[in-house]
Amino acid sequence: QMLSSMCWTGVVLLVLGATAVLSAIPGPYDRRYPDYIVDPKVSCEKEGSFPHPRNCSWYYRCVDRMHVGMYWTYYFECEPGTVFSDDLDQCVHPFLAPPPCGQVVPPPPKTDPIPCIGVNGTCQTFKICKPQKSEKNMCRELQCPLRAPALQCGPGYLYDMKDRKCALPPARETLCGAVEQVLINVTEKGKVPCSENNLIPKSDFISRIYCDTYNLCDGTTFKERKELCRNYFECFRDVNEWKIFKRHCPQDLLYSYDNRRCERTPTEAEKC
């Protein structure tokens, strides 16, 4: 019996010795996975499944089994021909996954539709200088394929042939060669336009408030109809600001916008 006990002790010691020797021999990190999958170790900062940084066909799962902020890591391989999609949280065909693991499917080539053309006589080219030089070709009416009647934009709009949409025509002050015009308030209900080529402006407001129309006759024969104004306005530029003065002619004279001068007031005999 003592001999048997000694034999068993020798076997145990032999096994332990063999285990120690085997543990000292370099080998794979984990026989279940390729070495590059487990080394260097992937980072776990929260629970969940994540794509493997070194192989799109693998993913790993982080699990906090003790709920103490320490994670166990488990590795999984997708079925052949599939990759792990982080967006869908599962293995999918490559065309369903985004880059870099998925294959980008090119969009179908764009085919430009047959363009509409402007109807002759309804198109205009605007030469724009502000804020930068450009040109716009805009049409009031369009003729499109497969449509018999011509198409039109809404009131006040023109069709931009380049941008292919209805748009307002460029503002007059942005066009090349346009004269800057400023509206100046004369009263609460009236404005007067001033510009370099319109220093003595006329408007409906001026005619209504300050002017009278005279029918003039030569005896019993009608001669002419003349508009004469008690007051008129003169524009001038003060540095970069437009200003306006209200003026009137000398006594017994009235201003004629048609003749651009002060004229004699018609007598009662001259009036019809």
Side-chain angles (χ1 to χ4, degrees), residues 175-190:
L175 301 180
C176 299
V179 178
E180 180 185 10
Q181 180 172 283
V182 177
L183 292 176
I184 300 179
N185 288 320
V186 177
T187 68
E188 294 181 355
K189 298 182 179 180

Side-chain angles (χ1 to χ4, degrees), residues 22-58:
L22 288 175
S23 64
I25 298 175
Y29 295 102
D30 193 318
R31 294 183 182 275
R32 297 172 296 173
Y33 315 112
D35 288 357
Y36 76 95
I37 292 296
V38 296
D39 183 58
K41 188 177 180 180
V42 294
S43 174
C44 277
E45 298 180 356
K46 61 180 180 179
E47 288 193 315
S49 298
F50 309 96
H52 199 285
R54 295 184 291 277
N55 191 321
C56 290
S57 295
W58 285 75

